[in-house]
Amino acid sequence: MTVVETTLPEDGSQEKHVARHSLTTRLNHWLIAASVIALILSSFLPILGIKFAWVTIHWVTGLAFTASIVFHTVYALLYQDWRTMWIRAAEFKDVIASMAGRLEMLKVPPGKYWLMQKVYHHVITLFGIIVIITGILMMYRIDSSFWDRDPYFLSAEIWGIVYVLHGFASLCFVPMLMMHIYFAIRPEKLFYTRSMIKGWITKDEYLSHHDPKVWVLDQESDPEEQKE
Amino acid sequence: MEFLRYSRDAWGQTVLEGMSWDLFWYFVGAGGAFILLHMVYMRLVNQKKGHE
């Protein structure tokens, strides 16, 4: 559930705002975004020939990414409605219409998230889980102030598989990030980007892009306390 | 094009090292191709919308 804020916007317009993302969700999103960009840069720049001491930056950022994802998972399960991310089989008839962003062509009306937004979330979740698990295992191969390295923790064959999985999922993050930024700056999607900064979309944007019967608004309480 | 990297250990055995980093630009290209196709598709969709 999300709320329609009872206050009018600061710009003096009469349009009401629909809260889409709480401050916690937005901060968490931008922390994940910053850590993913730092992880991609710290891993691929040295491969492309830009040499620097990347290992410490990479694993520390990796831990920040892991903590952000754990927080997101717990927060989503406790304070958000996980069903907003659920994909029904019937929705896959709408892949093309969803890509085109045409509400009138959809056979299954969209709730808070459109089909392709949910697909993106689930695909990036899969790659995220892979890089986190393999990344934590790979920390056994480096020394730090907190632990000593143990490269024999796994056999050479298993280490090879761990490195392949980590590398493959990391490579997949590159086009996924490119697509995410592309959609974030497309003119017709800019209001979603604004909602990830300011937290709200307008009532018009809500009605023209979402089915109010599926994404049901709660007219009253505080957005920060509501299940999104 | 190599998909995987291999090396030899102290006993001369072949050891799997990870993904080949030559693939990096293919993944960048895949992302770029998707974006380009989507831009063309959206242009066509918007043109069609304009005619309706």
Side-chain angles (χ1 to χ4, degrees), chain B residues 31-45:
Chain B
F34 176 87
I35 289 168
L36 201 66
L37 285 173
H38 188 267
M39 282 169 74
V40 171
Y41 174 66
M42 286 305 290
R43 205 177 175 91
L44 293 173
V45 166

Side-chain angles (χ1 to χ4, degrees), chain A residues 143-160:
Chain A
D143 271 327
S144 90
S145 323
F146 306 105
W147 67 88
D148 294 324
R149 69 196 292 261
D150 180 11
Y152 305 107
F153 174 68
L154 296 173
S155 66
E157 291 81 10
I158 302 295
W159 276 125

